[in-house]
């Protein structure tokens, strides 16, 4: 696992790499999505203080709130929408998209 590689990294005489840092994408993305959900009015925990268990439980309650679409995988509203104005007007078929996850992936 990457954490073990970073933890046990040995500096070599002729190698330029001195430090190995691991970016925790799961935590990073959770914080972005939870912050977006809070901005849109979903009742979710503050991501800066949420535990992994809270992410696991709360994610099931709002990440499956999706745009209405003929797509096989309709986008999750908290991931792709910047506000709720068009959601209400067009029965969850459209929203103003954010710039982070515009495709819902």
């Amino acid at each position: 696992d990457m954490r073990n590689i970073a933890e046990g990294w040995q500096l070599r005489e002729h190698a330029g790499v001195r430090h190995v840092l691991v970016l925790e994408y799961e935590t990073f993305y959770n914080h972005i999505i939870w912050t977006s959900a809070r901005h849109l009015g979903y009742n979710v925990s503050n991501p800066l203080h949420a535990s992994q268990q809270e992410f696991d439980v709360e994610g099931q309650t709002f990440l499956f709130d999706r745009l209405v679409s003929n797509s096989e995988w309709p986008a999750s509203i908290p991931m792709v929408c910047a506000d709720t104005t068009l959601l209400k007007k067009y029965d969850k078929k459209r929203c103003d998209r954010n710039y982070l996850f515009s495709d819902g992936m």
Side-chain angles (χ1 to χ4, degrees), residues 1 6 12-13 15 23 40 42 52 64 66 68 82 84 103-104:
D1 139 278
R12 295 174 184 87
E13 276 187 48
L23 177 58
L40 294 174
Y42 290 88
Q52 186 59 49
F64 291 113
R66 300 187 179 268
V68 175
T84 59
D103 63 356

Side-chain angles (χ1 to χ4, degrees), residues 53-71:
Q53 181 179 2
E54 287 172 303
F55 284 132
D56 293 343
V57 171
E58 289 179 0
Q60 296 176 30
T61 63
F62 74 90
L63 289 175
F64 291 113
D65 189 12
R66 300 187 179 268
L67 290 173
V68 175
S69 151
N70 292 330
S71 166

Side-chain angles (χ1 to χ4, degrees), residues 69-85:
S69 151
N70 292 330
S71 166
E72 184 178 349
W73 297 101
S76 174
I77 291 170
M79 283 185 75
V80 299
C81 296
D83 65 48
T84 59
T85 307

Side-chain angles (χ1 to χ4, degrees), residues 20-64:
V20 176
L21 302 176
V22 178
L23 177 58
E24 297 285 352
Y25 279 107
E26 177 185 12
T27 303
F28 176 68
Y29 284 140
N30 279 349
H31 282 89
I32 291 172
I33 295 166
W34 259 249
T35 300
S36 175
R38 288 171 60 94
H39 170 75
L40 294 174
Y42 290 88
N43 184 20
V44 296
S45 299
N46 181 330
L48 295 177
H49 305 292
S51 67
Q52 186 59 49
Q53 181 179 2
E54 287 172 303
F55 284 132
D56 293 343
V57 171
E58 289 179 0
Q60 296 176 30
T61 63
F62 74 90
L63 289 175
F64 291 113

